[in-house]
Amino acid sequence: MGALAMDELQAQVRGDVILPEDGRYEEARHVYNAMIDRRPAVVVRAVNAGDVMAAVNFAREKGLDLAIRGGGHSVPGFGTCDGGVVIDLSRMRGVRVDPASSTARAEGGATWGDFNAATYPFGLATTGGIISTTGVAGLTLGGGIGYLARGFGLSIDNLLSADVVTADGRFLVASDHENEDLFWALRGGGGNFGVVTSLEFQLHPVKDIYGGPMFFELSEVETILRFYRDFIAEAPEQLGAFPAFQIAPPLPFIPEDRHGDTFIAMVACWAGPLEKGEEALKPFHDVAPVVAEHVGPMPYPALNAAFDGLVPPGLQHYWKASFVKELTDDAIAAHGVHGPEVPAVNSTVHIYPIDGAAHRVGAGDTAFAYRDANFATVIAGMWPDPAQNEANTAWVRNYYDATVPHSEEGGYINFMASDDQARIKANYKGNYERLVAIKRTYDPGNLFHLNQNIKP
Ligand SMILES: Cc1cc2nc3c(=O)[nH]c(=O)nc-3n(C[C@H](O)[C@H](O)[C@H](O)COP(=O)(O)OP(=O)(O)OC[C@H]3O[C@@H](n4cnc5c(N)ncnc54)[C@H](O)[C@@H]3O)c2cc1C
């Protein structure tokens, strides 16, 4: 790309225009997943919607690939590209809370840590992810699964409106009374429809929660998973909880001689009255002996950041995912074979409940089609050493293959790898054709194709 063209772009951008010769380029080209090694022609660190419009127009007019980066957590590395333009929103992280309406507006590069820190002082929260460094926009646009999903629905179910820069460089507001089709598609359709510069959410009264992780012996895997399946289906919706295969990190609440051992864990978040927290989690204590736990009252943002240390930037990532209607005994048996083989302290497998309030939204009401699935499973391979890539990727693949017969055809797009594009139709079931039609309206040239791509 000529220097003149870059000068033109710089003249229109208030934020940073970072070229390969810039000292900031090395850091700017990288994303969270260290397996991804790409060299964009330019990284635009936008500071406002105008910068985003300029970068979108530039990429389209020059015929360049365009990557959108919010929090940078995409496992397939959709937030960077080779030879194209990256719109990096990490300088747009403001969050404004309106306590009168119990709503908050987050800029397109805010993380859940930014969001929860802003809403917590007001005693308010909404459904977000379980790690504080994940981006609000990327997580929400794919659906948004977290501790509060049973109580308040997915993140998209709490999305009230979004500001969007579309492929033609226009700035649009999408909500249930403005550009309704775009708003429908954004809620589950990922980054296919434009760059979202801000998102407005409904908040709920949540401040301190009662929860944390409990560790059980691997010999209890089947007991724990069967119990969890039956218990969570009937549990009050203020309870979010998911089982996890986890190697014990060297933390003070775990007996020292058990550090490095693998456990089946249960991570719980009771968002009801604090004084009822202990009682709400008691069934987990009754089902099998707890080897170690770190459970108690804590600020919701503290639980949201509790596992950040296990997943620092710079790990190798390979993930697979599927939706599950019934966690059958056969499915549990498959988990019992592969879960205990979890290869690194950073790697894990989570089976998230997506029932409760998430089921009260119709399959066709948003782009997120799997409203009849009870669980979203993620096999999250994460490890530091690239020399382990082959072995650890094989663990994820073999595990996933063993769960396929017990799972739905589709999975949650945000938990998927770059080799999952063939599942795109299945991920959206009956909503796929409508998504294609909306893609044709807003992005007929498929400018936004670095994502789980809905082709126009
Ligand atoms: C450690 C970790 C924990 C996670 N935990 C959860 C969890 O608890 N719940 C859950 O649901 N998911 C979770 N995820 C998955 C997560 O939702 C996806 O990785 C998501 O894509 C991350 O969004 P991001 O903005 O951080 O990523 P990015 O890499 O910045 O973005 C990914 C893609 O999302 C789209 N996108 C991002 N921002 C925008 C924007 N402003 N406008 C338009 N499109 C945009 C683009 O297509 C972009 O390429 C987790 C991922 C990781 C790595």
Side-chain angles (χ1 to χ4, degrees), residues 304-317:
N304 188 244
F307 306 108
D308 289 5
L310 284 175
V311 288
L315 299 174
Q316 314 286 309
H317 289 252

Side-chain angles (χ1 to χ4, degrees), residues 31-32 67-80 89 107-111 128-131 133-147 155 186 190-199 311 317 319 350 352 382 412-415 450-452:
V31 288
Y32 182 76
I68 312 170
R69 191 186 308 163
H73 270 205
S74 157
V75 168
F78 291 138
T80 190
L89 298 165
E107 285 188 292
T111 62
I130 64 148
I131 298 291
T133 51
T134 306
V136 170
L139 181 140
T140 299
L141 296 174
I145 295 172
Y147 294 113
S155 304
L186 287 174
N192 272 283
F193 300 94
V195 185
V196 171
T197 54
S198 91
L199 308 95
V311 288
H317 289 252
W319 295 23
H350 293 169
Y352 295 107
M382 302 181 265
Y412 177 40
I413 62 157
N414 277 354
F415 289 158
L450 298 175
N451 42 46
Q452 299 291 355

Side-chain angles (χ1 to χ4, degrees), residues 159-175:
L159 188 66
L160 299 173
S161 73
D163 292 345
V164 192
V165 176
T166 46
D168 54 8
R170 279 185 304 159
F171 175 90
L172 300 178
V173 176
S175 72

Side-chain angles (χ1 to χ4, degrees), residues 18-20 22-29 38-41 43:
I18 302 176
L19 302 173
D22 193 306
R24 296 166 295 180
Y25 180 78
E26 262 317 291
E27 192 220 324
R29 78 182 180 90
R38 299 191 186 129
R39 300 184 161 271
V43 177

